[in-house]
Amino acid sequence: MSVTNTAVTTACDVREVLDRLGDRWSVPVLAELGQGGVRRYRELQRGVPGISQRMLTLTLRRLERDGLIDRTVYPTVPAQVEYGLTETGRSLTLLLHAVADWAAEHRESVMSSRARWHADHPDTSDA
């Protein structure tokens, strides 16, 4: 494999991982698990406002597949299922907290820049 093909493959692999963080629900689910440790399905659903049952199920499956959360099923009737962060998931939440801190620190600057941009470009929208 050539160096160019390796670079493209690596970039695609990184993009695939970043896409998980860029979807609508992964970060809120990870943040919820990061705040409270192990959670049951309904606790997660209550803790992530606006998420549907279907999207929570899909998001949990994807996060489990990617090794960011663990799913533990207890042999009870009905089955009890708990979700928690893996070591990889915990390391990611540390980075997410840093990004959230950055966003809070720079919020006013970003909002001012947006206001200036909109004033200079009145015929455009944020669509």
Side-chain angles (χ1 to χ4, degrees), residues 27-48:
V27 170
V29 168
L30 290 169
E32 181 65 21
L33 286 170
Q35 289 178 6
V38 175
R39 297 286 174 97
R40 294 181 69 181
Y41 185 91
R42 292 287 177 214
E43 291 173 311
L44 281 171
Q45 195 171 30
R46 283 190 297 273
V48 181

Side-chain angles (χ1 to χ4, degrees), residues 23-77:
D23 71 28
R24 182 173 181 179
W25 297 111
S26 291
V27 170
V29 168
L30 290 169
E32 181 65 21
L33 286 170
Q35 289 178 6
V38 175
R39 297 286 174 97
R40 294 181 69 181
Y41 185 91
R42 292 287 177 214
E43 291 173 311
L44 281 171
Q45 195 171 30
R46 283 190 297 273
V48 181
I51 194 167
S52 68
Q53 183 174 342
R54 178 178 186 281
M55 285 312 302
L56 179 57
T57 298
L58 288 173
T59 301
L60 290 169
R61 283 184 191 154
R62 290 171 182 157
L63 292 171
E64 182 183 10
R65 179 198 67 195
D66 291 347
L68 300 174
I69 66 170
D70 280 325
R71 178 178 183 263
T72 305
V73 180
Y74 295 95
T76 59
V77 178

